[in-house]
Amino acid sequence: MSSLQILDVSKQYGQTEILKKINIDIDDGEFLVLVGPSGCGKSTLLSMIAGLDTVSSGDIRIGAQRVNDLHPSKRDIAMVFQSYALYPNMSVEQNISFGMEMRGVPKDERAKAVKEVARMLQMESLLSRRPGQLSGGQRQRVAMGRALVRKPKIFLFDEPLSNLDAKLRVDMRTEIKKLHQRLGATIVYVTHDQIEAMTLATRIAVMKGGELQQLGTPAEVYNTPNTIFVATFIGSPSMNLVPSRLERDGDAGGLALLVSGVDGAAPLRVALPPQSAAVQAYAGRELIAGLRPEAIGNGNLVKSASTREVRAVVEVTEPTGPDTLTLLRLAGHEVTARLAADADYRAGQEAEFTIDLAKLVLFDRDSERRIC
Ligand code: ADP
């Protein structure tokens, strides 16, 4: 296994800049997930790491070695594609051992490696089948087996679960996570699915339009998103965003958030818990307040020094089983709350709810960046 460094890497196709000065330092044994909407440059970056595409400027290092000009076959990387890319006329066993055969690995060693990988992926009984006789999930396993058997320095996964149905995708996700925990492998994994990113990654790189928006642990990216884009891309339902104004509250350096009422609703004013100097500097200015749905609750939110009681009007309730997603009008603004499963409101009812300001995230209105 090995570390991987992406240093100031840019990519142009003709005049079009596809990736702009990307910097990501991946430790040995990390599971890094590249996530972002379609077209943001994830696959291009992965292809450059694999050596299937050239780097326009910047460096890629595997361990201590600069690999920009190294042939893909010399990089000691294994790649698992969305399409699996299995040989249809070969058995599972042959598919897994073909690469080793090409590299001149002796027969008994190949057989031993195939057996070990087949046991790890629980597909010993499938070895004599051809890909056409396998389900989607089983084919995905063979593709992973073929990568695993090489014991490469780095694994690259390009949307490996997108062709599977929802249930299988969740199962395979767990399989991949278990595999990473067992092997301690260095993995770079591309997906457009933010839930896959949150559940698998040790760190997430969120990309948009060829730029890295944030690099952090799932908790960092979720709780302290750098930008409004990250705040809305990660998490489902999305973070609630409400235009607000920050005001002085009392003489002791306190602050309050003022939300103007819309559609005839009364405005809302809440006193904030102590804030950083950077937030203090926004006193008297307009900004965007962000609150995750689980930071708006009813009986399910424990009251503390950072919670406040607010009144809101219920618009729609959607029981999901473990909780009830509820669309509320807060000072007339539409927000989603994650309420207790037994939440029982009728549409149009006004009631008291709890908001937790410890989870409040404030963004600059113009730059859309988080105010730290
Ligand atoms: P993602 O994997 O995030 O969906 P890609 O890396 O596939 O994004 O593509 C990033 C951008 O680069 C897209 O706008 C795509 O149209 C463009 N692109 C990809 N390959 C080429 C190419 N060979 N020539 C020109 N543009 C390309």
Side-chain angles (χ1 to χ4, degrees):
M1 292 299 137
S2 195
S3 62
L4 172 68
Q5 279 181 303
I6 297 161
L7 296 163
D8 270 340
V9 166
S10 298
K11 177 74 185 174
Q12 281 110 30
Y13 285 117
Q15 295 300 307
T16 319
E17 198 165 37
I18 303 293
L19 289 170
K20 297 163 200 163
K21 287 200 178 256
I22 305 288
N23 282 287
I24 307 176
D25 217 333
I26 302 157
D27 285 338
D28 192 359
E30 261 207 85
F31 196 135
L32 182 96
V33 177
L34 296 174
V35 70
S38 183
C40 72
K42 308 177 292 289
S43 301
T44 304
L45 186 55
L46 205 70
S47 294
M48 291 195 297
I49 298 169
L52 304 173
D53 210 338
T54 55
V55 174
S56 302
S57 66
D59 280 342
I60 295 180
R61 288 172 195 269
I62 296 176
Q65 188 184 16
R66 180 178 180 274
V67 298
N68 290 40
D69 306 315
L70 202 63
H71 191 267
S73 62
K74 299 269 173 3
R75 294 190 186 198
D76 203 0
I77 279 176
M79 197 152 172
V80 179
F81 298 95
Q82 179 179 351
S83 61
Y84 319 135
L86 301 179
Y87 300 108
N89 298 322
M90 291 187 190
S91 67
V92 168
E93 179 164 13
Q94 287 164 333
N95 261 288
I96 296 175
S97 67
F98 185 66
M100 289 188 287
E101 207 176 321
M102 289 292 99
R103 290 194 303 279
V105 177
K107 197 171 176 190
D108 52 340
E109 229 175 276
R110 292 198 313 257
K112 197 170 150 234
V114 170
K115 212 170 148 195
E116 194 185 321
V117 165
R119 200 185 51 233
M120 206 185 287
L121 294 171
Q122 290 159 17
M123 49 182 200
E124 289 128 311
S125 60
L126 306 176
L127 287 173
S128 57
R129 291 205 203 166
R130 284 173 203 273
Q133 299 167 305
L134 300 174
S135 70
Q138 289 167 334
R139 275 182 227 165
Q140 183 58 60
R141 265 200 192 118
V142 179
M144 288 206 301
R146 200 172 46 182
L148 282 176
V149 84
R150 293 186 42 193
K151 298 199 166 74
K153 282 187 181 152
I154 295 166
F155 288 98
L156 304 180
F157 286 86
D158 193 2
E159 307 237 9
L161 308 183
S162 337
N163 286 344
L164 307 178
D165 65 43
K167 162 95 175 74
L168 196 55
R169 210 155 60 214
V170 173
D171 292 347
M172 288 303 288
R173 198 170 76 197
T174 312
E175 288 295 313
I176 292 176
K177 184 140 190 175
K178 277 195 211 158
L179 210 58
H180 177 250
Q181 286 171 353
R182 211 168 332 137
L183 299 174
T186 309
I187 297 178
V188 182
Y189 185 109
V190 162
T191 179
H192 61 270
D193 180 341
Q194 56 90 20
I195 297 178
E196 235 168 84
M198 285 294 287
T199 50
L200 285 172
T202 53
R203 278 192 307 159
I204 299 177
V206 186
M207 294 173 61
K208 182 196 172 201
E211 283 178 317
L212 186 60
Q213 293 258 318
Q214 187 162 6
L215 176 64
T217 63
E220 283 165 353
V221 167
Y222 186 79
N223 295 318
T224 50
N226 278 352
T227 60
I228 285 183
F229 172 78
V230 176
T232 49
F233 189 78
I234 303 281
S236 175
S238 273
M239 182 184 273
N240 297 297
L241 296 168
V242 182
S244 311
R245 191 181 160 79
L246 203 59
E247 290 190 337
R248 288 264 165 239
D249 188 45
D251 306 328
L255 290 170
L257 203 62
L258 183 73
V259 182
S260 320
V262 289
D263 295 338
L268 174 74
R269 191 175 196 275
V270 285
L272 297 182
Q275 298 291 317
S276 68
V279 173
Q280 293 279 349
Y282 274 75
R285 289 172 63 183
E286 306 281 329
L287 40 69
I288 307 284
L291 210 52
R292 293 268 178 212
E294 62 273 22
I296 309 174
N298 50 355
N300 59 345
L301 248 185
V302 180
K303 291 181 186 170
S304 72
S306 64
T307 59
R308 304 282 182 271
E309 303 307 300
V310 295
R311 293 195 74 76
V313 178
V314 175
E315 200 145 83
V316 179
T317 57
E318 295 176 344
T320 67
D323 45 35
T324 300
L325 294 175
T326 306
L327 202 62
L328 301 174
R329 289 266 177 196
L330 189 65
H333 300 267
E334 216 170 66
V335 295
T336 304
R338 197 180 282 281
L339 306 182
D342 61 0
D344 186 17
Y345 301 97
R346 58 188 162 69
Q349 183 181 349
E350 186 178 300
E352 193 160 86
F353 297 92
T354 306
I355 59 172
D356 187 357
L357 297 172
K359 298 193 176 139
L360 179 73
V361 189
L362 300 173
F363 298 96
D364 184 285
R365 229 172 136 134
D366 300 323
S367 70
E368 302 200 339
R369 298 193 69 81
R370 178 167 50 88
I371 305 163
C372 297

